[in-house]
Amino acid sequence: MNTAGPAEETPVRSGLELAPFRGVRYDPDRVGSLAAVTSPPYDVIVRPDGLLHLESADPHNIVRLILPQDATPNARNRQAADTLHAWLSKGVLTTDPEPGLYVYEQRDDDMLQRGIIGTLRLSEPADGVVLPHEDVMPHIVADRAALMRATSANLEPLLLTYRGTGSRVGTAAVIERTAEREPLLSTTTEDGLSHRLWAITDAADLAEIQTDLGHHQALIADGHHRWATYLRLRSEHPSPSPWDFGLVLLVDTARYPLRVRAIHRLLHGLPVSEALAALTDSFRVRHLDVPLAKALEALASAAAESNAFLLAGDGSFHLVDRPDPDLLTRTIPADHPEAWRTLDATVLHATLLAHVWGIPEDSPAHIAYIHDTEATVAKAELDGGTAVLLHPVHEEVVRDLARQGVTMPRKSTSFGPKPASGLVLRALAD
């Protein structure tokens, strides 16, 4: 169960420092199309189907860099580094002639989002400048760090949000002025989203942005593992160095609110019948013989009143809600704010996974985290496992907890639209 509260941004003594860089971009004359070389972020791709589809879309698709395929991790990372070097040498990827920031726009029939891509000075959570809201899995951070070391590149931007005033001043003014010009690139991906990119190189515009952002803090909306990777790699390089900064997309959610969706769980090796049997006397369970859309409506209604989950994998849906209060008291740590203790993700991880089902949350052999609802259900039905579908949490709850220094369980939220990978990269050796 998730409740919303106020979300005013906390003033910071030293705010965001976004620096220009020489973007690395595809030469449109050397690839089939810009849309064919883009990809969702590495952790959104539904493997293996999505991976194979992207690899076959174009021989230069960015997925060959962000998710290289080989027998061992070392071989995969060497392959990504070799591929990046080859594409730069052949001119498939080219480096922009002067440093700049980049206005990035995503649009569909009912959504417009604009933000700014640059390299952000890294900071620790205790500094209160960039606020994480989720825990991370160490093995994923280690994997991403090895890839970044091998390629010496930031291959895809993180998604960060900040709260402006809502008026067209400072960064917002520069973004809107810039978006009136002809873009550097324009493409529409197969999901129907159109993408446009502009460079900002004017010194006055860059100064206006820096002055404005220096008064703000940011929330990590998507990319906690990559932010943790940035911090790890910064610690390995004496400062000052290019590793003091990391590639990000900053979006002012006062002007362009993001969509917040849930990230679902696929429990390998746990049939739905066994998952339900373990819930006897601890949760209310109702069988729903309805399509997915109707089942999600029932989940949303139940989640407004108590913690609620939708289980699937046996060809139907099962609404699980109204947990036993005594069970929650025994299984959920009491040393956290109530807003954290009542999160659906908290109950899922602390009560269901750890206590009822005995599933380790950081083991890929036991659990997968999937953004797409239909894909989660389909994979559970195919593999004989259990899909656990969640209702999304409000952005205000996420921001309020982050300001208190409280992190949510890993993979609790999916903010979007996420930046497409492959439109602009950053080579740290530049």
Side-chain angles (χ1 to χ4, degrees), residues 9-17 162-163 208-217:
E9 186 175 285
T10 302
V12 290
R13 292 190 301 272
S14 177
L16 303 168
E17 181 182 340
Y162 70 101
R163 300 285 291 182
E208 186 173 354
I209 291 170
Q210 185 52 60
T211 298
D212 178 36
L213 292 180
H215 300 291
H216 292 287
Q217 64 184 173

Side-chain angles (χ1 to χ4, degrees), residues 82 198 227 292 363 381 392 413:
D82 292 343
W198 297 261
W227 183 262
L292 175 59
S363 170
E381 293 179 348
T413 61

